Amino acid sequence: MVKLTGNEKVNIAVFISGTGSNLKNLISHSLKKKSKFRISLIISNNPKAKGLNFANKYKIKKTVINYKKFDNAEKTILKKLKKNNIDLVCLAGFMKILSANLIKKFNGKIINIHPSLLPKYKGLNTHERAMKNNEKFCGCTVHYVNSKLDSGKIIIQKKIRIFKNDNIEKIKKKVLKQEHQIYPKAISKVIINL
């Protein structure tokens, strides 16, 4: 249980696999005066993830996890989370599925941002699938992580209209812009219940 008094902040680990635009956004929010969280650790399964550059830039601890040996990878992750007193794990474009064991150990303390209006379009290629099905709306969802893919309790969602002249790239940009709006809000909501 994390009780915030005065200037205390919740320690967050952000898991990434790619460019880290949500990570960069969360770092910006964490540096604001009224922020209730700090990014204490960045974990990636991809040593070439561009997002790792933010670790150097903002002097945040980082760890690259080799997922070829899955059990070792998860043991290392748990050790790092414990060592850095992590209160909340935020998945931000992390392209690996966490084991039921890790999720159980961090029960209710792992959240994910997903580029669709869950429960629709779990998994990959969400925008392509939405357009193929002539959806009128797309969007993004922040949800708790459970042992089923993109199935945890929804924390916050943002709906975006799909217009006739929209293409995949336009939709990706629109959705990403909204992801940057809702992820910090979702963290603020979650922190209260930690």
Side-chain angles (χ1 to χ4, degrees):
M1 194 74 150
V2 186
K3 282 279 173 247
L4 291 181
T5 53
N7 297 325
E8 278 183 74
K9 292 189 176 197
V10 167
N11 287 322
I12 288 179
V14 181
F15 287 34
I16 62 165
S17 293
T19 56
S21 79
N22 268 302
L23 166 64
K24 185 185 177 192
N25 180 56
L26 292 179
I27 292 169
S28 298
H29 277 271
S30 75
L31 297 174
K32 289 180 180 174
K33 208 173 184 179
K34 288 182 180 175
S35 171
K36 294 286 183 204
F37 67 90
R38 80 169 63 83
I39 314 289
S40 302
L41 181 64
I42 298 167
I43 287 181
S44 181
N45 63 305
N46 175 10
K48 292 180 178 164
K50 284 185 184 168
L52 289 169
N53 295 329
F54 297 122
N56 302 333
K57 187 176 177 184
Y58 294 98
K59 295 177 176 52
I60 300 168
K61 288 179 193 169
K62 65 176 178 184
T63 299
V64 176
I65 302 290
N66 180 351
Y67 259 84
K68 287 193 176 111
K69 291 180 179 166
F70 188 81
D71 287 347
N72 286 355
E74 296 236 322
K75 276 179 195 159
T76 304
I77 288 172
L78 283 167
K79 269 187 209 162
K80 294 280 180 187
L81 295 178
K82 196 174 177 184
K83 188 181 174 189
N84 291 284
N85 300 312
I86 299 301
D87 302 304
L88 181 68
V89 170
C90 297
L91 308 181
F94 187 62
M95 304 309 280
K96 290 287 176 189
I97 292 172
L98 302 176
S99 74
N101 177 47
L102 197 147
I103 292 165
K104 192 177 170 186
K105 287 206 164 123
F106 254 72
N107 190 23
K109 294 177 182 176
I110 306 175
I111 63 174
N112 179 44
I113 188 143
H114 183 75
S116 82
L117 294 171
L118 291 173
K120 279 188 170 183
Y121 308 116
K122 296 171 185 178
L124 302 172
N125 306 317
T126 56
H127 307 313
E128 290 85 342
R129 286 152 61 202
M131 285 191 83
K132 197 176 174 184
N133 290 338
N134 297 314
E135 296 283 0
K136 288 185 169 60
F137 294 95
C138 61
C140 46
T141 306
V142 182
H143 64 95
Y144 285 100
V145 173
N146 64 15
S147 55
K148 290 183 184 157
L149 181 69
D150 298 329
S151 298
K153 186 181 168 200
I154 290 168
I155 301 159
I156 194 167
Q157 277 188 321
K158 183 69 183 180
K159 191 189 273 191
I160 298 148
R161 177 91 203 186
I162 298 176
F163 294 104
K164 280 181 181 165
N165 65 342
D166 278 342
N167 58 31
I168 300 290
E169 280 312 306
K170 275 187 187 174
I171 287 172
K172 271 184 187 169
K173 278 181 187 163
K174 280 200 272 191
V175 170
L176 194 59
K177 196 175 176 186
Q178 293 308 319
E179 286 182 26
H180 293 170
Q181 299 281 322
I182 70 168
Y183 214 172
K185 286 180 187 170
I187 290 170
S188 297
K189 278 178 88 170
V190 168
I191 283 172
I192 296 162
N193 302 316
L194 278 178

